[in-house]
Amino acid sequence: VKDIQEKLSNHGFPAGYDYSVGGAYQDMQESFRGIFIALGLGILLIYMILAAQFESFFHPFTIMLAIPLELIGVAIGLLVTGTPVSLFVMLGILLLTGIVVSNSILLVQMINLLRERGYELYEAIREGGAIRLRPILMTALSTLLALVPVSLGLREGSELWQPLAIAVVGGLFTSTFLTLFVVPVAYSLNEQFVDRLRRLVGLAT
């Protein structure tokens, strides 16, 4: 479509004549708009649910750090394989968001539980990471192993779902390992910020 538009933009049309691109391209543009709206509403809904679950305005941001981490892997996967962004790639990102957020929830929930049991901040982070490492890796590896054959396009007819699988495999690979480091660091910084805020409020009152 881009090549056609470049050709037609330099073409001199007679007075009263113009052109437009429709058909499958128009349907794809509408689908992209719908996917972006769904992604935005999904992220908003995730935040509202997490804020209610953890009774905190800050912890949802810590958990949702996994979402930009997944996009790093998606971008790398698409660049390495030369796969263009398509509707199936966007569907893969939607699918991936639910998986990586659930991994972050497992980690933050365990850290909060240990702190309620009397653990210090850094001790709770270390113990929580060690306890949740196995279930997080099991979830990630089972999904990766299931999608690797599809991402390689080994079976006939898998070309349709290959972009989705490439997006999920790339995003899940980076987000799983980065989440284990970035989310605990963000959690500690978040707790330090909240403690300072409480001290300031206490001094003000």
Side-chain angles (χ1 to χ4, degrees), residues 8 13 32 35 63 68 70 72 82 87 89 97-98 102-104 107 112 114 121 123 134 146 159 171 173 193 205:
L8 292 178
F13 286 96
F32 269 118
I35 286 290
I63 293 169
E70 80 183 35
I72 297 173
L87 179 62
V89 171
T97 300
S102 66
N103 288 341
S104 293
L107 188 56
N112 283 342
L114 293 175
L121 175 61
E123 187 181 6
R134 183 179 294 178
E159 294 84 2
F173 185 80
F193 172 75
T205 54

Side-chain angles (χ1 to χ4, degrees), residues 147-158:
L147 288 175
V148 163
V150 183
S151 65
L152 295 175
L154 299 177
R155 298 183 61 183
E156 186 177 353
S158 63

